[in-house]
Amino acid sequence: MMHHDDGTERPPAQSGGRPPAAEPQAAAMPPAESVAAVPRLPRPVRSKAARRRPAGKPLVATVVGLVTASALAMLLMAPSLSLTPLIRLSTFWIAGVCLTLGTVILTLGLMGRRSGGLMPLAWLAAFAAGGILLVDVSYAFLLDTVAESGVIEQASGGRTYGVTKLQRQRLRSGVRFVGSRYDDIVTIDLTGDVWRKQHNVAVYDEDGNETLRNSTCPVEQLRITARQSRVIITVPYGCTFGFGERDEYVLTGANSIGGRYGISRNLSEFGVTDLRWGIHDGTFSSDDALCGNDASGMMMSNANTPVNGPELMIDVPYTVDGQVAVRYAPEEVRPCPVEWVIR
C-alpha cells in the first residue's frame, strides 16, 4: 500500500499504469419460481378381445360328410328317376343342405364361435341352389309352353291300346298318355285287323322308276303325347312311318322321340336325350332284332319309301319325361315281350 500526504492509503497501481478494475458485482438472480408437479395418469391398457373359437375340425368334418353322403345317395337314386322327380329331389336336397348349414352356422354364432371351414361349403351350397333354382324356373316355363290337347288316358301300370275302333278314333283325334313314372309303358298295337287295310302304294324301284306295291300297312295320321310314360307303337314288319304331320314337316329315319331326361315339343328336344337315329339309349334283351329298335333301318331304303311319304304318320306335339317309339313286329305277327321294348 502506498501512503499519500493526506494520510490515506491507496492500492498500488497496476503495471502499465492502469487503475485496478472494479470487481463486478454479482448479478441479481430472480427467485426461482416453484413449479407444481403435475401427476401423470397411467396409460390405459387396451385389453385384447379374446379370439372366438372356430367351429372345430370334428364338426366341419361331420357336416361335410353328411352333405357328401346325401349327394351320393341322390346320385345313386337318379338313374331310376325321370326328369320331374329328379328335379324335385334335387330341389329338396339343396334346400335341406342350405337349411342344415344355416342352422349350424347360426348356432355357432349364438355360442360365440366362428363358422370356420363351414363358410366355403356354405358358398358352394349357395351357388348350387342358384343353379337348381334356374333349372326349376326353366322347367316350369317349358311346361307352360306345351299344348294340353287330346283325350287323357292313364298309363300307370302299363296297358295295351289301339285294339278297338273307339281307341283308333281317339288316336286319330289325339290322346295324352299320362303316367306316374317313365317306366309306365303303353303298347299300341297296329298289327291287328282293326288297322289292316289292303291297298296299293306307289314306290320307287331300284332303277328310280315309280311302281305300285301291295300293302296292308296302316295308312293313318295319329296324334300322341306322352307324359311320364313310354308309348311303344308296334307296326307290321316293313311298314313305313314318320314323325310329324302329313304334308308338313316329316321326320323319317328316327324311331323314337323324347326320353327319360328330356322334353320335346313339335320334334324339338330339350334335355339330356336327343332324337335317336336307330340307336337305343339303353339295353334290351332279344334274340330277334325286329323286336328291338331297328325300325328306322327300313326307312333308309328307297325301295320301301312311298312316293307320297310314309304310310303311317305320328304327330307328337310334346313329351315330358316321356317317349314315343316305333318298333317292328316279326314277319310272323306276334307280340313282342315287354322286356324287348326300346329303353
Side-chain angles (χ1 to χ4, degrees):
M1 297 292 294
M2 295 183 64
H3 294 271
H4 294 272
D5 294 335
D6 55 3
T8 61
E9 296 181 357
R10 294 183 179 178
Q14 295 183 352
S15 61
R18 292 182 180 178
E23 295 182 359
Q25 297 181 356
M29 296 293 295
E33 296 182 1
S34 61
V35 179
V38 179
R40 285 190 176 184
L41 297 177
R43 178 178 295 180
V45 179
R46 295 182 180 179
S47 59
K48 293 185 178 180
R51 186 175 178 84
R52 294 187 301 167
R53 292 175 55 195
K57 293 183 180 179
L59 178 60
V60 174
T62 301
V63 175
V64 172
L66 291 175
V67 173
T68 304
S70 62
L72 291 176
M74 185 182 67
L75 291 176
L76 291 175
M77 295 174 60
S80 62
L81 301 176
S82 52
L83 184 62
T84 300
L86 182 60
I87 292 177
R88 186 181 298 117
L89 176 64
S90 301
T91 303
F92 287 150
W93 172 77
I94 195 61
V97 170
C98 292
L99 181 62
T100 301
L101 287 173
T103 303
V104 173
I105 292 175
L106 179 61
T107 303
L108 289 174
L110 295 176
M111 295 172 58
R113 299 176 64 178
R114 294 181 293 114
S115 57
L118 294 178
M119 285 308 298
L121 188 61
W123 279 110
L124 290 177
F127 284 121
I132 293 177
L133 178 62
L134 181 61
V135 172
D136 290 342
V137 173
S138 302
Y139 182 62
F141 174 76
L142 288 175
L143 290 182
D144 289 339
T145 62
V146 298
E148 299 287 342
S149 62
V151 177
I152 298 179
E153 294 284 358
Q154 294 298 321
S156 301
R159 60 179 303 188
T160 301
Y161 201 83
V163 295
T164 66
K165 291 183 178 180
L166 176 60
Q167 292 175 344
R168 175 183 176 182
Q169 182 58 41
R170 287 182 175 178
L171 287 171
R172 289 172 172 174
S173 303
V175 178
R176 283 188 287 152
F177 292 102
V178 180
S180 58
R181 57 194 181 95
Y182 181 72
D183 290 330
D184 286 336
I185 298 174
V186 177
T187 300
I188 299 178
D189 189 0
L190 304 187
T191 62
D193 293 337
V194 70
W195 297 96
R196 286 177 174 271
K197 182 180 179 181
Q198 195 81 16
H199 65 281
N200 291 324
V201 59
V203 298
Y204 292 110
D205 59 19
E206 295 180 356
D207 298 328
N209 300 318
E210 187 175 327
T211 182
L212 294 178
R213 175 172 61 85
N214 184 269
S215 175
T216 57
C217 296
V219 182
E220 301 288 346
Q221 172 74 64
L222 308 182
R223 185 179 179 87
I224 302 172
T225 63
R227 183 165 184 171
Q228 289 187 296
S229 61
R230 287 186 292 159
V231 180
I232 310 299
I233 304 173
T234 304
V235 299
Y237 177 74
C239 291
T240 56
F241 64 90
F243 290 102
E245 295 186 61
R246 199 175 298 278
D247 300 328
E248 292 187 13
Y249 178 69
V250 179
L251 176 64
T252 60
N255 69 308
S256 64
I257 290 180
R260 184 185 294 271
Y261 304 109
I263 298 176
S264 69
R265 185 188 182 201
N266 296 328
L267 305 183
S268 298
E269 294 274 345
F270 306 92
V272 177
T273 56
D274 299 321
L275 296 174
R276 278 160 295 283
W277 300 84
I279 303 176
H280 63 84
D281 60 350
T283 60
F284 62 93
S285 174
S286 173
D287 294 329
D288 190 342
L290 295 177
C291 284
N293 64 337
D294 67 336
S296 61
M298 189 64 66
M299 299 300 299
M300 305 308 291
S301 173
N302 291 332
N304 294 286
T305 304
V307 174
N308 297 323
E311 297 163 275
L312 175 65
M313 290 301 304
I314 307 167
D315 181 26
V316 183
Y318 70 88
T319 64
V320 179
D321 297 348
Q323 182 187 60
V324 177
V326 180
R327 66 178 179 181
Y328 281 135
E331 293 185 80
E332 64 279 10
V333 178
R334 59 179 174 82
C336 293
V338 174
E339 63 267 19
W340 288 358
V341 299
I342 305 169
R343 298 219 180 252

